[in-house]
Amino acid sequence: MQRGSRWLSPSEIKAALKNSDTTLMEMLRFVFSSVLKRRYLLILNVLLLLMVAGLNFIIPQFTKNIIDQAIGQRSVNELISQVVWLIVTTIALGVVNFVSTYLMQRLSQESITEIRLQTYYRILQQDYAYFQNAKTGDLMVRLTGDINSLQNLISSDTFGIVGNLFTFIAVLGFLYAQNWELALAISLTFPVLFVIIRFFRSRIREAFSKLRATSSRISNQLQATLTEIELIKSFTTEQQETANFEAIVAESNRYQLEATRLQAIFNPLVTLVNTIGVAIALGVGGYFVIQQRMTVGDLVAYLSYLTLLQDPIRSFSRLLNVFQTAQVSYDRIKEIMAYEPTIIDAPHPVAFPSPLRRGIQLTDVTFHYDMGNVDALENINMMIPIGQTTALVGRSGAGKSTVVRLLTRLYERSGGKIMFDDVAIEHISMKSLRQHISFVSQEVTIIDGTISENIAYGTPAATEAAIWN
Ligand SMILES: Nc1ncnc2c1ncn2[C@@H]1O[C@H](COP(=O)(O)OP(=O)(O)OP(=O)(O)O)[C@@H](O)[C@H]1O
Ligand SMILES: [Mg+2]
């Protein structure tokens, strides 16, 4: 599981999937469009996964050869040669596994970085008003948690599971071709295993997500009471607050116990089903060996293959979770990508008429905030001439800051005209407009960095002399 991923509870997933018209294919197209751009890396990865599957498949064959041929024919040379091959192949498997994990992680990171940058740029492009309405916390979650759960879709982990599936198909196909009765017998436990894993996984996950929720309530309660200690002391609510705290802790303990109980049943149950699988293989296989329809070496190889088959079932169930969580996240990211900024450049924008010769003329300018219920500005007419200092004076809330926001097109006026000399504001390119208007806000903003970086913000080419100035 990736660090920082945000697992949703099964009920959250169900609710979200019900409301979503996202098809799986659409999400995959979105995510894999950036993967497909790295075609060579992708092809290399698929080849490596096939090699892993092939090597996994070959290794039990050496065991079979050792038992049937070397031991069977009492040939020490054959024994040595088979043991050496076994070791060489296992080393090769390790090396291929290493290279493939590394390259898959690279593919995954490069692809997700592209998606992350796209989403980030998209958010920054939105209208100013978007940020007034959207919650910053929500945007943060989308840029971190939701992107991470999309990353899980193309993580090296997920590619590894796909590799496991290659192995699964190859091995199962081989077993059925060799001895379909035995293959069928050992396949019997697979559906049971899959159902058990699905059943418990979702419940364990739900218990843990409730547990996490209560944990954050515990720290909220601690923080709230410690910072409001004056209030608590003066109202003597110490006992009451302790009772509140006790209730939350009790709830947390309950979820912890529930999670532990589920896990305590789950693990032995999986072991039991797996062991039953082995027992069936030994029983049916042993019978075939007695009947001389297969060799002891075959039987031992079958047992190794059985383990190779059981692992992918576990990881396949995990893959389903990754898909479900990613689909919910994709919906939330799609919302961002689908949201079009409305304040944009005209088709053929012109540069700011610099230097201005007459000034700025506002004619019948009207503006209404989305959230407001009255016009913030109503039929404003004024001329701001060049070469003079013009002050806009008015009571608080009169609309002074609003005028400035309209001049930089942070908001778009709802009516009237704003002209810089003879050029209407909407014809000027936004970049040029904003580069020609300096704005000192009444709310002081300081970005993270040095004082000189703060002064030079937006003018990366500023010289040191200019900054001092
Ligand atoms: N983002 C917003 N959404 C909705 N209404 C807003 C928003 N910003 C300002 N307003 C409203 O628009 C009107 C004008 O606000 P503005 O900030 O332009 O006043 P101001 O003249 O700059 O006031 P002050 O002197 O307090 O800075 C006010 O009624 C204010 O409540
Ligand atoms: Mg103001």
Side-chain angles (χ1 to χ4, degrees):
M1 207 174 290
Q2 296 279 311
R3 256 181 297 127
S5 64
R6 198 178 52 88
W7 289 109
L8 299 160
S9 74
S11 47
E12 267 180 292
I13 290 171
K14 261 181 220 136
L17 288 183
K18 212 169 279 167
N19 301 333
S20 103
D21 47 7
T22 308
T23 62
L24 197 62
M25 286 317 285
E26 188 189 319
M27 170 176 74
L28 293 181
R29 220 175 295 134
F30 175 73
V31 174
F32 280 91
S33 66
S34 60
V35 174
L36 286 176
K37 279 187 207 147
R38 292 156 183 81
R39 194 162 297 132
Y40 295 110
L41 202 50
L42 180 65
I43 292 173
L44 193 60
N45 272 314
V46 171
L47 289 180
L48 286 168
L49 287 178
L50 287 173
M51 277 174 78
V52 170
L55 288 170
N56 266 328
F57 171 73
I58 288 175
I59 287 172
Q61 290 298 316
F62 296 119
T63 321
K64 166 186 153 63
N65 290 344
I66 288 170
I67 295 171
D68 287 350
Q69 289 169 21
I71 298 178
Q73 298 160 10
R74 303 192 175 275
S75 155
V76 176
N77 281 345
E78 180 70 16
L79 180 63
I80 292 171
S81 132
Q82 290 293 335
V83 168
V84 168
W85 271 113
L86 176 61
I87 293 173
V88 168
T89 326
T90 312
I91 292 174
L93 177 63
V95 173
V96 175
N97 257 329
F98 160 74
V99 178
S100 118
T101 307
Y102 180 79
L103 289 182
M104 283 186 297
Q105 185 61 30
R106 251 190 65 183
L107 178 62
S108 149
Q109 263 173 9
E110 284 180 15
S111 313
I112 208 70
T113 301
E114 188 177 317
I115 293 177
R116 201 188 287 275
L117 292 183
Q118 261 177 26
T119 322
Y120 180 66
Y121 183 57
R122 188 75 188 169
I123 289 184
L124 290 191
Q125 273 183 317
Q126 295 301 335
D127 295 339
Y128 182 64
Y130 177 86
F131 297 92
Q132 310 299 304
N133 303 337
K135 288 202 194 98
T136 325
D138 178 59
L139 288 179
M140 293 280 287
V141 169
R142 289 181 199 220
L143 277 173
T144 53
D146 286 327
I147 296 271
N148 280 339
S149 68
L150 277 194
Q151 179 168 24
N152 282 338
L153 260 191
I154 45 177
S155 69
S156 55
D157 225 32
T158 310
F159 285 121
I161 295 174
V162 174
N164 272 348
L165 286 179
F166 286 170
T167 310
F168 186 86
I169 293 166
V171 168
L172 201 62
F174 171 78
L175 293 189
Y176 269 94
Q178 271 226 317
N179 185 337
W180 70 268
E181 288 140 305
L182 182 54
L184 183 66
I186 64 177
S187 310
L188 284 180
T189 54
F190 295 164
V192 182
L193 195 57
F194 187 72
V195 169
I196 289 177
I197 290 172
R198 291 299 296 164
F199 180 86
F200 279 92
R201 272 260 165 77
S202 58
R203 275 159 191 78
I204 290 175
R205 219 142 50 79
E206 191 155 354
F208 272 116
S209 87
K210 282 181 190 158
L211 183 62
R212 270 200 307 276
T214 46
S215 304
S216 58
R217 274 173 56 204
I218 289 180
S219 50
N220 283 347
Q221 163 88 6
L222 281 177
Q223 204 209 339
T225 44
L226 292 183
T227 50
E228 298 298 331
I229 194 71
E230 189 181 343
L231 190 75
I232 292 171
K233 290 266 171 221
S234 46
F235 284 85
T236 60
T237 51
E238 291 94 339
Q239 278 188 348
Q240 186 192 323
E241 290 299 340
T242 309
N244 287 345
F245 191 58
E246 188 185 3
I248 305 175
V249 173
E251 199 177 336
S252 166
N253 287 348
R254 220 175 34 248
Y255 291 133
Q256 175 69 67
L257 272 180
E258 188 183 330
T260 309
R261 187 174 52 89
L262 286 167
Q263 273 183 321
I265 306 173
F266 175 62
N267 290 328
L269 204 57
V270 168
T271 311
L272 175 68
V273 174
N274 282 343
T275 311
I276 290 176
V278 173
I280 293 177
L282 277 174
V284 179
Y287 176 73
F288 283 136
V289 174
I290 292 172
Q291 296 242 307
Q292 294 194 328
R293 283 179 53 192
M294 64 187 249
T295 65
V296 178
D298 281 330
L299 180 57
V300 176
Y302 264 77
L303 290 179
S304 307
Y305 284 133
L306 184 55
T307 333
L308 276 183
L309 293 176
Q310 286 167 345
D311 283 350
I313 294 178
R314 266 187 176 223
S315 42
F316 185 57
S317 150
R318 199 165 71 226
L319 194 62
L320 285 184
N321 288 342
V322 169
F323 269 81
Q324 287 176 330
T325 316
Q327 201 162 346
V328 176
S329 292
Y330 171 67
D331 272 335
R332 294 159 50 83
I333 288 175
K334 193 172 74 167
E335 259 173 43
I336 292 179
M337 302 306 272
Y339 207 94
E340 292 287 341
T342 55
I343 306 179
I344 47 172
D345 277 340
H348 302 289
V350 298
F352 188 89
S354 171
L356 275 185
R357 261 172 286 129
R358 289 196 303 282
I360 309 170
Q361 172 82 53
L362 280 73
T363 315
D364 285 334
V365 170
T366 301
F367 181 69
H368 189 107
Y369 282 104
D370 275 347
M371 310 283 272
N373 34 21
V374 287
D375 284 347
L377 298 176
E378 215 173 304
N379 296 325
I380 301 293
N381 287 287
M382 68 173 145
M383 171 70 188
I384 305 173
I386 62 151
Q388 289 180 23
T389 304
T390 303
L392 213 53
V393 185
R395 61 180 166 71
S396 176
K400 304 178 294 294
S401 299
T402 306
V403 169
V404 177
R405 291 189 193 119
L406 294 189
L407 289 182
T408 48
R409 283 185 88 195
L410 282 182
Y411 287 100
E412 193 84 292
R413 71 208 180 284
S414 4
K417 276 200 305 195
I418 299 178
M419 306 286 287
F420 292 84
D421 283 353
D422 301 323
V423 188
I425 189 171
E426 63 270 19
H427 292 142
I428 303 173
S429 97
M430 215 112 66
K431 194 165 178 95
S432 174
L433 175 74
R434 289 175 184 171
Q435 270 171 353
H436 282 87
I437 299 178
S438 292
F439 176 66
V440 182
S441 161
Q442 65 200 96
E443 294 105 38
V444 179
T445 317
I446 291 181
I447 56 162
D448 199 16
T450 64
I451 295 177
S452 81
E453 276 165 2
N454 266 281
I455 294 174
Y457 187 75
T459 319
T463 62
E464 200 179 321
I467 292 174
W468 277 108
N469 202 12

